[in-house]
Amino acid sequence: WRPTLLADIRGQVLEAGVGTGRNLRYYHHTVELMGLDLSDAMLKKARKRAKASPCKTELIHEDATRMKSVDAEQFDWVFSTFMCCVMPDELQELAIEQFGRVLKPGGRFRLLELVYSKNKSIRKRQELFAPFVERVYGARFDRNTLRYLEQSSRLKVTSTSFLKDDVYLLIEGIRQE
């Protein structure tokens, strides 16, 4: 799914929560990417993967809830996979506020997050594995990312869909002028 999610992304791009850089090789060669993450260990792995990336890549140690070293209205795109589901709700709101600040007016965002399924058998498995997922990955299925995006004064959600069953929620939108 990574190549599909990144296929149309162009211009100045911020990948928030770049992690180990698993997305880096799928960016278009014309992209100018800034990847940020709070984990030095993850960034170390991402730097190795960045060598094989087709695009110009800058990786920085930065907090997505503050983005002190990132200028306002700088990016055409904000892209993130599974970052908000590892953040407590109060921090998600701060990160989403920053997404609105760093996107250019008319800039777009695309976030992929984990959520609890409405399918009873999938939900039962998720509930069984939830403590493990939280302990190992820091992720939770009960985050309110979509709600916070819908409450944003700068960002407008334009579509939502699922990539895998009803567990991988894809949220897309635009920064309003």
Side-chain angles (χ1 to χ4, degrees), residues 2 14-15 23 79 87 94-95 120 122 124 133 162 174:
R2 292 176 198 277
L14 173 69
E15 183 172 341
N23 297 322
F79 180 73
M87 301 175 96
L94 296 173
K120 288 180 183 179
I122 295 172
K124 190 174 181 178
V133 170
F162 289 100
I174 192 165

Side-chain angles (χ1 to χ4, degrees), residues 89-144:
D89 284 340
E90 62 275 7
L91 295 181
Q92 285 187 55
E93 289 182 276
L94 296 173
I96 288 166
E97 191 175 298
Q98 289 301 309
F99 295 167
R101 183 185 70 80
V102 302
L103 271 172
K104 296 174 184 175
R108 297 171 61 189
F109 64 89
R110 183 173 290 155
L111 310 179
L112 183 62
E113 297 297 331
L114 291 170
V115 295
Y116 270 122
S117 175
K118 292 185 184 356
N119 176 301
K120 288 180 183 179
S121 65
I122 295 172
R123 174 74 178 243
K124 190 174 181 178
R125 269 183 283 150
Q126 286 178 303
E127 288 172 349
L128 178 67
F129 286 105
F132 171 79
V133 170
E134 185 171 10
R135 189 173 53 255
V136 173
Y137 301 105
R140 292 178 51 145
F141 300 105
D142 63 350
R143 301 297 188 197
N144 295 300

Side-chain angles (χ1 to χ4, degrees), residues 1-2 5 16-17 22-23 79-87 110-115 137-140 163 167-169:
W1 48 263
R2 292 176 198 277
L5 287 183
R22 293 186 63 172
N23 297 322
F79 180 73
S80 181
T81 54
F82 311 121
M83 184 187 79
C84 288
C85 63
V86 301
M87 301 175 96
R110 183 173 290 155
L111 310 179
L112 183 62
E113 297 297 331
L114 291 170
V115 295
Y137 301 105
R140 292 178 51 145
L163 295 189
V167 175
Y168 287 13
L169 176 62

Side-chain angles (χ1 to χ4, degrees), residues 7-173:
D8 64 336
I9 292 180
R10 301 288 187 278
Q12 300 285 117
V13 178
L14 173 69
E15 183 172 341
V18 71
T20 62
R22 293 186 63 172
N23 297 322
L24 296 177
R25 69 181 179 143
Y26 301 109
Y27 282 99
H28 193 266
H29 68 91
T30 61
V31 165
E32 292 186 31
L33 178 72
M34 176 184 286
L36 63 86
D37 206 284
L38 198 52
S39 168
D40 286 323
M42 296 256 201
L43 285 168
K44 184 177 180 181
K45 291 178 183 179
R47 285 188 178 93
K48 290 178 184 176
R49 286 189 167 137
K51 293 174 184 173
S53 176
C55 69
K56 180 180 174 189
T57 304
E58 176 186 8
L59 300 173
I60 63 170
H61 180 265
E62 180 67 85
D63 184 342
T65 67
R66 293 192 178 104
M67 294 196 211
K68 290 181 180 179
S69 63
V70 181
D71 293 334
E73 299 185 356
Q74 181 178 347
F75 295 100
D76 302 299
W77 278 92
V78 169
F79 180 73
S80 181
T81 54
F82 311 121
M83 184 187 79
C84 288
C85 63
V86 301
M87 301 175 96
D89 284 340
E90 62 275 7
L91 295 181
Q92 285 187 55
E93 289 182 276
L94 296 173
I96 288 166
E97 191 175 298
Q98 289 301 309
F99 295 167
R101 183 185 70 80
V102 302
L103 271 172
K104 296 174 184 175
R108 297 171 61 189
F109 64 89
R110 183 173 290 155
L111 310 179
L112 183 62
E113 297 297 331
L114 291 170
V115 295
Y116 270 122
S117 175
K118 292 185 184 356
N119 176 301
K120 288 180 183 179
S121 65
I122 295 172
R123 174 74 178 243
K124 190 174 181 178
R125 269 183 283 150
Q126 286 178 303
E127 288 172 349
L128 178 67
F129 286 105
F132 171 79
V133 170
E134 185 171 10
R135 189 173 53 255
V136 173
Y137 301 105
R140 292 178 51 145
F141 300 105
D142 63 350
R143 301 297 188 197
N144 295 300
T145 309
L146 178 58
R147 185 180 69 189
Y148 295 131
L149 283 162
E150 289 172 337
Q151 293 172 353
S152 170
S153 62
R154 287 186 175 161
L155 302 176
K156 179 183 178 190
V157 174
T158 57
S159 71
T160 60
S161 59
F162 289 100
L163 295 189
K164 183 178 180 183
D165 299 314
D166 65 342
V167 175
Y168 287 13
L169 176 62
L170 181 64
I171 308 166
E172 299 182 276

